[in-house]
């Protein structure tokens, strides 16, 4: 057996010898060139958004070498994913699958359990398997990014037929984003709602197709003889989500129950016309009034897309770092915010929306929108051509809101030197009073932590995702600790008021899962029951979203308030 270098972190309870045997077997499955060990001497370079690190979190809020994988494996096709799952069961090794590993603000490529095997699906499994413009559907593998599918539509001149909805940054995986229930900004902004059909490797290694995919497309025996992942899919797989019997797809989101290796996604028919706009709101009071107007307009679909109400500092940070506005290392004051809004000719809050459809449709909708919001004193209305500054956020949003991906929103992370970020993402009612209550609490806690409030309200079908972008200096331990304190405190503050987060970073998963505790944690008991049934050895993503299999003692993996981690204990190797 070839000797294997010692990894920075061994999988929990595993000796170097056992690890070497596991790695040798993994070589047999995927080829030695597709197994990379994160060695003890690895400098853990963060890389960049375009070239992200693969075994740790590039925005680490704890010590960088805590949430770190022992090795990264790059399977080439579905049978290899299945074989790896069987191998992980045999060795009882935790494995953390991801599609691209960007997952920025939520943990990047890092696993919840240090020493897990990272399974990077995106490097080889990156094919666009189908684009059907008549049905407006696509079928993709994990490595297909928003940028990649958009470029495909452009290259094949299909954008005059169909658009793709994209999130703020285009480099993420369509599957990774949808299974984490991420959002974009066109009328198809709820990516999970717009998915249709999954192919999933279960923790046992078995392969399933959900919805209509569970039915073969014909009884032709030659199909039955094909490798399951290569069998032609049922013709309605991407057309009807539910199939027959219990609807299972939801259990594969934010989950540790399966590895998604194919997913259908609905594309948006080109609406035949489009117009983005911005409405600036001069004050917090104007934001509150605007959100009250928003509910009936959004529910009634006058607001057709997912509009956003962005705090001035989110836009200001896209225009330049904090140092371009202030010498202070303290949180900016109300006066500072007013001065920045004035300098940038923006509101204290800025509302970005769009109308879709042929000209008469757009013009009716726009007139209703203008009549509504411009009734609030001090609001101003802009079209993209009205804004000629070089880094106009409206111009970027004008692309994003029609499904053209960009990387411009990366800039706000550089608000501080060595900028990194965490997202705090509670759900809010679409109401001025609720939004202001959440804003007041989060902004006050940001000040207490010595950090600036940077955030946005993203308006869904009936609620808002309030996304607070906690920017910190990753090279400054005090800044990291304050960011960690801030998000932990906010989770508790919000839970007391019945506000829960829709998604979170690895370090907060247990805490947030604990806040969804109706009726003596009945939902967690159900989750654990399903987890233990499907994954009896607890090898697939243990700890993901706070769900620990029975083979783990959750307390051993707890992360304390001051960022100390007990979990290192569980990682001692038995040499
Ligand atoms: P991004 O698309 O932003 O790069 P990732 O690929 O890092 O996102 O995925 C984010 C998270 O979603 C992962 O940490 C993992 O928990 C989950 N995930 C991503 N892809 C898959 C997949 N194909 N199957 C199961 N879970 C996945």
């Amino acid at each position: 057996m070839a000797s294997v270098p010692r990894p920075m972190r061994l999988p929990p309870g595993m000796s170097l010898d056992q690890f070497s045997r596991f790695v040798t077997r993994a070589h047999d499955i995927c080829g030695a060139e597709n197994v990379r060990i994160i060695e003890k001497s690895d400098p853990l370079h963060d890389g960049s958004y375009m070239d992200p690190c693969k075994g740790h979190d590039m925005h680490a809020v704890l010590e960088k070498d805590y949430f770190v994988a022992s090795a990264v494996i790059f399977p080439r096709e579905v049978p290899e994913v299945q074989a790896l799952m069987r191998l992980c069961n045999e060795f009882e090794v935790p494995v953390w699958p991801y599609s691209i590993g960007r997952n920025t603000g939520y943990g990047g490529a890092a696993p919840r359990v240090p020493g897990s095997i990272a399974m990077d699906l995106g490097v080889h499994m990156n094919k666009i398997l189908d684009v059907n413009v008549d049905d407006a559907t696509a079928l993709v593998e994990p490595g297909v990014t928003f940028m990649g599918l958009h470029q495909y539509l452009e290259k094949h001149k299909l954008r005059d037929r169909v658009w793709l909805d994209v999130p703020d940054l285009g480099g993420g995986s369509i599957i990774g984003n949808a299974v984490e229930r991420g959002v974009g900004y066109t009328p198809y902004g709820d990516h999970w709602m717009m998915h249709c059909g999954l192919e999933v490797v279960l923790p046992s290694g078995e392969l399933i197709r959900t919805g209509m995919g569970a039915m073969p497309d014909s009884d032709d025996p030659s199909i039955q003889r094909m490798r399951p992942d290569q069998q032609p899919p049922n013709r309605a797989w991407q057309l009807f989500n539910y199939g027959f019997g219990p609807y299972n797809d939801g259990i594969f989101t934010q989950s540790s129950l399966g590895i998604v290796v194919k997913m259908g996604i609905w594309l948006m028919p080109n609406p035949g016309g489009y117009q983005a706009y911005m409405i600036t709101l001069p004050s917090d009071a104007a934001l509150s009034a605007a959100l009250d107007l928003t509910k009936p307009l959004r529910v009634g679909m006058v607001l057709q897309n997912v509009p956003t109400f962005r705090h001035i500092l989110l836009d200001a940070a896209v225009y330049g770092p904090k140092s371009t506005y202030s010498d202070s290392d303290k949180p900016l004051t109300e006066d500072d915010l007013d001065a920045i809004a004035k300098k940038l000719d923006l509101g204290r809050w800025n509302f970005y929306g769009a109308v879709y459809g042929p000209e008469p449709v757009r013009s009716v909708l726009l007139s209703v929108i203008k009549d509504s919001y411009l009734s609030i004193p001090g609001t101003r209305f802009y079209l993209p051509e009205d804004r000629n500054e070089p880094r106009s956020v409206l111009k970027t949003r004008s692309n994003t809101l029609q499904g053209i991906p960009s990387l411009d929103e990366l800039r706000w992370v550089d608000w501080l030197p060595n900028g990194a970020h965490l997202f705090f993402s509670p759900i809010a009612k679409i109401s001025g009073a609720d939004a202001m209550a959440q804003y007041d609490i989060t902004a006050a806690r940001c000040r207490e932590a010595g950090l600036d409030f940077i955030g946005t309200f993203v308006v869904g079908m009936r609620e808002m995702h309030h996304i607070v972008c906690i920017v910190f200096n990753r090279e400054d331990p005090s800044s990291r600790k304050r960011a960690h304190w801030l998000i932990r405190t906010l989770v508790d503050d919000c839970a007391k008021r019945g506000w829960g987060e829709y998604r979170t970073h690895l370090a907060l998963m247990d805490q947030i899962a604990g806040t969804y505790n109706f009726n003596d944690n009945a939902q967690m008991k159900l989750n654990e029951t399903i987890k233990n049934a499907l994954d009896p050895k607890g090898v697939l993503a243990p700890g993901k979203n706070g769900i620990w299999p029975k083979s783990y003692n959750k307390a051993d993996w707890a992360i304390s308030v001051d960022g100390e981690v007990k979990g290192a204990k569980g990682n001692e190797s038995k040499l």
Side-chain angles (χ1 to χ4, degrees), residues 190-391:
D190 184 335
H191 294 156
W192 180 246
M193 190 186 292
M194 296 300 162
H195 99 284
C196 193
L198 300 177
E199 184 176 286
V200 184
V201 175
L202 297 180
S204 62
E206 194 176 356
L207 188 72
I208 65 161
R209 286 182 181 169
T210 66
M212 296 305 293
M215 174 179 262
D217 197 50
S218 85
D219 63 359
D220 181 341
S222 66
I223 291 184
Q224 301 296 329
R225 286 195 293 273
M226 293 171 79
R227 221 170 77 182
D229 64 300
Q230 291 182 339
Q231 291 180 10
N234 184 285
R235 69 201 69 183
W237 194 22
Q238 271 62 73
L239 305 182
F240 180 59
N241 239 319
Y242 308 127
F244 184 73
Y247 175 60
N248 293 315
D249 290 39
I251 66 167
F252 299 113
T253 65
Q254 296 192 359
S255 121
S256 54
L257 299 176
I259 301 177
V260 178
V261 288
K262 291 187 184 74
M263 186 185 78
I265 184 87
W266 286 348
L267 304 173
M268 175 173 157
N270 184 321
Y274 165 78
Q275 178 65 62
Y277 60 85
M278 168 176 75
I279 297 172
T280 62
L281 305 162
S283 61
D284 294 345
L287 170 72
S288 179
L291 290 175
D292 284 338
L293 292 175
T294 297
K295 164 113 91 202
L297 295 176
R298 179 72 175 119
V299 175
M301 294 189 180
V302 172
L303 293 172
Q304 300 159 290
N305 74 322
V306 176
T308 47
F309 292 80
R310 293 163 61 111
H311 185 262
I312 177 62
L313 287 192
L314 184 55
D315 284 5
V318 174
Y319 285 80
K322 182 169 183 173
S323 56
T324 55
Y325 303 101
S326 167
D327 299 332
S328 167
D329 60 358
K330 303 267 173 321
L332 298 178
T333 63
E334 294 292 306
D335 287 347
D336 294 331
L337 300 185
D338 281 337
I340 291 173
K342 191 158 179 236
K343 176 175 171 187
L344 298 178
D345 192 24
L346 290 169
R348 280 288 296 269
W349 294 86
N350 298 287
F351 162 26
Y352 295 88
V355 286
Y356 303 79
E359 202 285 323
V361 174
R362 298 199 312 268
S363 105
V364 167
L365 292 173
L366 259 188
S367 72
V368 178
I369 291 164
K370 280 173 146 178
D371 284 353
S372 300
Y373 292 101
L374 297 184
S375 67
I376 302 169
T379 47
R380 287 175 290 150
F381 179 90
Y382 293 93
L383 297 177
E385 56 267 33
D386 302 329
R387 304 293 305 201
N388 291 318
E389 64 270 33
R391 290 186 172 182

Side-chain angles (χ1 to χ4, degrees), residues 49 52 96-104 106-110 121 142 145-146 171-177 179-180 200 252 254-255 258-262 503 506 509 540-541 544-545:
Y49 181 80
W96 185 269
Y98 59 77
S99 292
I100 299 287
R102 292 201 163 100
N103 203 21
T104 167
Y106 294 114
L121 299 153
T145 62
F146 292 95
S173 150
I174 297 173
I175 289 181
N177 188 277
V179 297
E180 286 297 292
V200 184
F252 299 113
Q254 296 192 359
S255 121
I259 301 177
V260 178
V261 288
K262 291 187 184 74
R503 179 180 181 184
L506 301 169
M509 285 177 174
L540 186 57
K544 169 117 176 119
N545 283 67

Side-chain angles (χ1 to χ4, degrees), residues 34 112 229 298 321 331 387 422 448 474 506 534 572:
N34 287 311
R112 174 63 182 83
D229 64 300
R298 179 72 175 119
R387 304 293 305 201
L422 276 173
E448 224 179 303
R474 73 182 97 181
L506 301 169
L534 288 189
E572 279 163 15

